[in-house]
Amino acid sequence: MVSLARTIRSIQRVGLREWWRQMQYIGDAKSGRYVGRDQFGNLYFENMNAEEEIPGRQRWVDFAQHDYNASQVPPEWHSWLQHIRKDAPPEDPVFAKVTPPWQASYVENLTGTRGAYKSYNTLRPKINAWEPKVKART
């Protein structure tokens, strides 16, 4: 349950329009430090104030698309969101130095969309549908 004081404080920090958008999309008004942006345009935030946030929910993502899913978060940002990494990818010195040359750009999971992979078979089907053979009338 959100207290009235926290609601007023959130409106003052982020503005009425942004507060209303957050209430519609994530059901909670959050404000915090901007940490970075990924290649999809998602914005990442952090608020380490223990009085305002529930433990484990100090980091969050603001998705760029309205139809979002978890596969739109790249692995390096996912590890930061889940508190596996202490520093965010732009701030992490190890991540900045080590980028493997074989690593391709991350692509979200396209299952259920038009871009999904569809396999095809080159063998003849084991069962063929019946096709009637009609002779021409004379």
Side-chain angles (χ1 to χ4, degrees):
M1 183 76 182
V2 178
S3 68
L4 182 61
R6 183 171 186 258
T7 302
I8 293 170
R9 190 170 51 242
S10 295
I11 292 172
Q12 290 173 344
R13 287 183 183 164
V14 298
L16 186 62
R17 185 175 184 175
E18 179 64 20
W19 174 82
W20 181 255
R21 190 187 73 75
Q22 287 180 0
M23 292 303 288
Q24 297 301 313
Y25 284 105
I26 62 176
D28 190 17
K30 292 180 166 275
S31 62
R33 178 178 70 94
Y34 171 76
V35 177
R37 175 188 292 250
D38 65 6
Q39 66 261 31
F40 296 120
N42 301 328
L43 305 175
Y44 297 89
F45 297 93
E46 179 178 40
N47 185 359
M48 298 304 283
N49 189 351
E51 298 169 357
E52 292 182 11
E53 300 296 333
I54 297 171
R57 294 188 182 182
Q58 299 99 344
R59 298 173 179 171
W60 68 94
V61 58
D62 186 10
F63 288 98
Q65 297 178 1
H66 178 65
D67 295 330
Y68 56 84
N69 60 29
S71 72
Q72 293 173 342
V73 176
E76 60 272 10
W77 283 104
H78 174 76
S79 62
W80 176 77
L81 284 171
Q82 299 300 318
H83 297 275
I84 297 170
R85 299 184 78 94
K86 181 182 150 198
D87 297 325
E91 301 167 353
D92 193 1
V94 174
F95 186 80
K97 289 180 186 174
V98 180
T99 303
W102 49 264
Q103 184 179 16
S105 62
Y106 180 73
V107 178
E108 66 179 287
N109 186 355
L110 299 174
T111 302
T113 65
R114 293 183 65 165
Y117 175 76
K118 292 179 181 67
S119 61
Y120 63 93
N121 193 353
T122 58
L123 299 176
R124 286 186 341 172
K126 291 181 181 178
I127 300 173
N128 292 324
W130 178 72
E131 295 177 9
K133 296 189 171 126
V134 180
K135 292 184 179 180
R137 293 186 186 194
T138 57

